[in-house]
Amino acid sequence: MSKPSIPKGTRDFSPTEMAKRNYIFNTIREVYALYGFRQIETPAMEQLSTLMGKYGEEGDKLLFKILNSGDFKQAVSAEEWNEKPVTKLAPRLCEKGLRYDLTVPFARYVVQHREELQMPFKRYQIQPVWRADRPQKGRYREFYQCDADIVGSNSLLNEVELMQIVDMVFHRFGIRVCIKINNRKILTGIAEYIGYPEKIIDITTAIDKLDKIGIDNVRAELSASGLDDEAIEKLQPIFNIQGSNEERLNTIREMLSNSTTGLKGIEECEYVLQQLAASQLKNTIEFDLTLARGLNYYTGCIFEVKALDVAIGSITGGGRYDNLTGIFGMPGLSGVGISFGADRIFDVLNQLDLYPRETTSGVQLLFINFGANEAAHCLQLAQKAREASIRTEVYPDSVKMKKQMSYANAIGAEYVALVGENEIQTGTVSLKNMLTGEQSSVTIDELIHTIAP
Amino acid sequence: MSKPSIPKGTRDFSPTEMAKRNYIFNTIREVYALYGFRQIETPAMEQLSTLMGKYGEEGDKLLFKILNSGDFKQAVSAEEWNEKPVTKLAPRLCEKGLRYDLTVPFARYVVQHREELQMPFKRYQIQPVWRADRPQKGRYREFYQCDADIVGSNSLLNEVELMQIVDMVFHRFGIRVCIKINNRKILTGIAEYIGYPEKIIDITTAIDKLDKIGIDNVRAELSASGLDDEAIEKLQPIFNIQGSNEERLNTIREMLSNSTTGLKGIEECEYVLQQLAASQLKNTIEFDLTLARGLNYYTGCIFEVKALDVAIGSITGGGRYDNLTGIFGMPGLSGVGISFGADRIFDVLNQLDLYPRETTSGVQLLFINFGANEAAHCLQLAQKAREASIRTEVYPDSVKMKKQMSYANAIGAEYVALVGENEIQTGTVSLKNMLTGEQSSVTIDELIHTIAP
């Protein structure tokens, strides 16, 4: 029989990996809760009709679909099987699909439960999502998202709060980051100003490459995407933009002085940056005109987080959207949200070796098993240690000492307790510190005092 | 547009439900960790070949299968579509399925990672599983399992430890339980003793009904299932069994004095009960001859937990199995495991109203929003509160006081802070205790001192 395996693009998580992942999730969870966000969970499976059409045509293909139970054949005749393309057949065979992200299920949740919800509704959600993407390094078919959103409030205080959350989370991780902020309205203003409102994505993409390919190539690219020379000329101030956040915003303000939308975007950015200046973030925040994520759904502020000490893409991102629940027939609900990239944060923490020691330490105390009588005695001592919150094991079999010690090393036990006949008679424990190798004879109370947190 | 919905048998969990569920999972997790169990996670999707044939024919039907991405049509001609039954077609259309329990994925994990694992391997796993069962009250198509298993050790100390875990978990919940213990070998011994080794399940099922239907009906049932009168007569000592665990075991011992298997089972039960007597459990433990769960895979001790103060089925169960990984070509690995029924524990805690107050309390402090200037000031105060670990919100919009107070009530805020112009000038906060209605003027430091844990 060949060794069993798991589907490509999926992962098993070992105890050590789980300890690290829990540290990440718990840190994010704690900070979300500190800001009043409350957790929800939605089912792994949604109605396929809830998911289809929400992620574009490509997205529909990447949905994992669940074959109907029972007689799924009934819905499709042999003729239809022959004639219809898979895209038409799949929804006939499958009523359900695995969630592709947490946003659409959240929108569905808000609409379905609107009578129970008090607005503004601040929710966080940490659950896996599934995508039938081609697996590659760092891209999985099952991965966790860690989202927080506030819906039902237009206030920019929400944006401020989300940036504070980002700052606090990465400060707790010990990861130095740059928080980048932009506003969809500014990008709209620029595209309108140069006379190409429909080219907003081409323009932003080209500007984004300025550092990498230089001004001449950017001009060439813009020209290739259909902009005339006059329009490209009008972008000159942006090519030359520099200075502090304030200076950059002033440059844009001058340029967009006739664009109501553009000025609104600048005002929003300024407000958020001012509030954040007063709250003394631990990390830098930078107004970045080239930041252009999610332009098909974000309508206001956009943000993204880059690690300073590791070359890796965005590790967190988010923004404001104006119409989360419109797709489910409940228009006019604005929201703003953020999503931490747990897998990338995992990699960054690994590369920078930033996991706190206590995060990944497992068992604190292992009792060696010298035989039935000794083990029975140790069982009682172990209970006392556990009552003092010490993670404790009694080795279950009375096998050779060497094997038990190698187990102690494998599980990373901090202390090993040796209790033989002598120790039982004297009411003591021979306690070995596995880090230093030191060994001492102690009572159970002294043992607890030594190890307990 | 009709209101969106979720697949039948699945659930959304609201913030309050999540808080309660997290309390359950965290309690179980903490106790597992105290006993040296370490967490793993496996993917939601397994290869269908890993799952098929592991849960019987009925189980195969209850597996949720994932339609292959891409051109799933290729594998099945129109002729085959016409002719083949769905049971043959499904594995052609689907390579993957959702996990049905945590045991088979765990077995697969152990075999796949055997080179990395140090035996004995103590793992716990808390993840959802999916079954295409007909949904009904208390039975869901997606639900969590909370399993702990030790593999690679035959020692009965593991059984003792699992019972201690059960005792500690329910003691922490405040749920009074009876832990029932039996041994498959005793049941085998009895069936052999009366000459019907193959009728072990019929015999146990009938005995189990003694309390409900009376001795005559039990005899009738046994007779209907094919036992002759002599065999039924031989069961008489069991019908009359009573007394302490020790007395019951003595009765069986006398009866099974010629059965090596039966005596071994009695010896195992006695050992576990003796060790547990010394460790002074908070709950009662009862030898129960009628306990007969999982007879198709358990080979040694069997256990089950019943709540004493709520009429509900088993809320935890487990046992020893001799050949976890044989199905994947790695024979001879014995293990013992336990599984807490989170959904039923949720119901019991609800019915007995046992959730600690702090579990379900959300936001501790809400700052009322009196306008842009006041909110900017409150933002800074809120940061100080959060640094002192107080879960804090600033209401994002400066709407009517009444609306903000109704929000405070809806989210269960413990304190509301009112900071207007006066308070800003005097450096104070008007703090209202939402439980008592008391209001006082305090500094931010006093506020922290009042609320912080």
Side-chain angles (χ1 to χ4, degrees), chain A residues 12 35 84 108 153 383, chain B residues 12 35 73 108 153 383 397:
Chain A
D12 283 326
Y35 281 80
K84 291 199 188 267
R108 192 267 310 146
S153 164
Q383 278 304 81
Chain B
D12 285 326
Y35 280 80
K73 260 176 79 171
R108 193 266 310 146
S153 164
Q383 277 305 80
D397 306 275

Side-chain angles (χ1 to χ4, degrees), chain A residues 246-302:
Chain A
E246 213 183 314
E247 286 162 344
R248 284 164 195 238
L249 281 164
N250 284 337
T251 305
I252 307 286
R253 193 193 331 265
E254 223 161 278
M255 187 172 156
L256 301 184
S257 57
N258 288 320
S259 162
T260 322
T261 308
L263 291 177
K264 183 88 179 94
I266 293 166
E267 192 189 305
E268 289 180 7
C269 273
E270 272 182 333
Y271 177 83
V272 171
L273 288 169
Q274 269 165 21
Q275 296 299 324
L276 289 174
S279 65
Q280 298 173 306
L281 298 191
K282 305 287 198 300
N283 292 285
T284 52
I285 182 153
E286 189 182 295
F287 169 66
D288 182 350
L289 200 53
T290 66
L291 176 60
R293 50 182 288 134
L295 288 187
N296 47 341
Y297 49 99
Y298 289 137
T299 52
C301 282
I302 315 172

Side-chain angles (χ1 to χ4, degrees), chain B residues 9 11 133-144 312 314 341-347:
Chain B
R11 292 165 289 174
D133 247 326
R134 197 203 309 245
Q136 57 185 56
K137 192 177 177 311
R139 192 202 283 163
Y140 304 102
R141 292 185 146 190
E142 173 180 61
F143 58 96
Y144 271 74
I312 201 167
S314 155
D343 286 305
R344 285 193 172 166
I345 292 173
F346 182 89
D347 289 344

